[in-house]
Amino acid sequence: MEAHGRVFKYGDNVDTDVIIPARYLNSFDAKELASHAMVDIDPTFVERVQPGDIIVARKNFGCGSSREHAPLALKTAGVSVVIADSFARIFYRNSINIGFAIMECPEAAEVISDGDEVKVDFDTGVITDITTGQTFKAQPFPPFMQNLIKMGGLVNYVNKKKEN
Amino acid sequence: MGLTMTQKILAAHAGLDYVAAGQLIEADLDLVMANDITGPMALPVIRQMGGNVFDKDKVVFVPDHFVPNKDIKSAENAKAMREYAIEQNLTNLMIQGKCGIEHAILPERGLVYSGMTVIGADSHTCTYGALGAFSTGVGTTDIAAGMASGQAWFKVPEAIQFYLHGKLKPYVSGKDVILHIIHKIGVDGALYKSMEFAGPGVSELSMDDRFTISNMAIEAGGKNGIFPVDEKTIEYMKQAGVKDYKIYQADDDAYYEKVIDIDLSLITPTVAFPHLPGNGKTFDEIEAMEPIAIDQVVIGSCTNGRMEDMRRAAAILKGHQVAKTVRVMVIPATQNIFLQCIHEGLADIFVESGCAFNTPSCGPCMGGHMGVMAKGERCVSTTNRNFVGRMGDTEALIYLASPETAAASAITGYITNPVKLGGAQ
Ligand code: SF4
């Protein structure tokens, strides 16, 4: 499995309130949520994002409330993976659980620039910045997490496991 | 390299001899819990996974946040949850009048104990670490999957050790300890990590103090907050009817990212000022300010609604009247604690001194009901969060404190050091 897209770069402590502000949480509709993704930190994000694009940010991405709407909004907006120095604990869990890929790689998060073209190989954890030619290595997901993301989330994963 | 207590419990539940910090594992769950806010949301997700719980003994729904039902919507949520619990024939059916706040009732009933892995769809699920269990809060999909499959995935955390020594002074209790710690390390000081308490000071702390401390691990960003098991823990578990508990100990060569030394004898009553639990101030600082007049006091919640909290508050209130303009809500965390307050004459003390003595509920803690605050009002509360808008209006001010400080402040009408008011102890 692979991701390939252009980078949107942000800093430390991107919180769930800026990813999807509370004023939009009266809806659970993924498309509706996606249409407001990142609005309070980057008002033109939704217009610019293309399917497959990648978010790169620094420390503590997704801090704040436990709302599962945040990773759902990014996923539905077309983001293929978030690469960051670190993630807030519940955002991390919620992302994986809904089948949204995230990667911790401080080296890549530091160096990759806004607008770079980047490729990510989820099986090996190799992140390639095509624009600069640099490569980075993140911890690859263990097999069950790869499965989980491939299957589109925890619900499908549990269902599959039950069948076996 | 050796393992921390948390790492050992996780390894055992994942069927592994060894785990490393950062490793992702799947672990078996011993208990899965949701409340009347998160439970109803998880039901449609469970239905996508076959609809049944994995084990009727190991899934618990606790109605505590908005019960007694505060409006029609909360009544419908509580009803959906209750009907599902009955449909699934859950062994532990929790009904208003027979239970209490989730993080107080589960330990009291012996449903959580040392060595377990527990997840709850509530961030303060970390409370059970006081018993030497691994317990942590999760989101909607996690809890539904846990209920359906009996498993959850975890990233094995690193740990910070808090080395406790010395003995608490009179009128200083668990709440002061944890407010002191959060002030020291910050609200993200333990982000993602487990907070492991150790040292000779542990045995000086009562179980109720330990519950208060573990409860607020999340306010320092922690994944869990765990205590070693000692004689007090074992005695508590026996009283609660637990038989098959398991004790895990950290290895001598366990790796801690940091060891933080906490001398309990140096801690003084601490109050967390608005709007962060990390904004702790001691009375040296508070008494240098203008007196802070208050409108409301809340003594209760999953942090400080236990028996010892009730006794400590009552000991200070006894023979006094609460200040003329202050309203005081005393809310025991469970029905048993409520009854014990009656038996010990504490209920009389509360009511005679001018407090409302309320039925077990989260009540005003998250601004649900039974003490919602108006714009500009100030409250001294024994709860755990003083965020903007947490107890009502976004311009209400919440000061987090121990039951002793809350009771002393109730009497004078401004934030007051219980050491000054309490006299000899
Ligand atoms: S008492 Fe407060 S913090 Fe505790 S479970 Fe209830 S609402 Fe949450």
Side-chain angles (χ1 to χ4, degrees), chain A residues 50-68:
Chain A
Q50 300 287 325
D53 280 353
I54 292 169
I55 289 178
V56 179
R58 303 305 308 271
K59 274 194 311 202
N60 205 20
F61 188 89
C63 61
S65 96
S66 67
R67 65 188 67 147
E68 239 171 65

Side-chain angles (χ1 to χ4, degrees), chain A residues 28 60 68 88-90 92-94 96-98 104 141-142 144-145 148 154-155 157-159 161-162, chain B residues 24-26 45 48-50 136-142 145 148-149 151-155 191-192 223:
Chain A
F28 294 113
N60 205 20
E68 239 171 65
R89 182 185 154 251
I90 299 184
Y92 187 101
R93 294 196 70 87
N94 288 345
I96 301 295
N97 287 341
I98 63 162
E104 284 185 342
F141 290 127
F144 85 81
M145 298 267 306
L148 221 150
L154 191 63
V155 171
Y157 177 76
V158 168
N159 283 338
K161 244 179 34 176
K162 276 188 162 174
Chain B
L24 287 150
I25 56 160
E26 279 185 295
V45 189
Q48 290 173 41
M49 288 179 281
T136 194
V138 297
T140 310
T141 305
D142 264 319
S149 72
Q151 286 196 321
W153 64 269
F154 297 104
K155 186 171 161 197
L191 187 66
Y192 193 70
K223 182 187 182 95

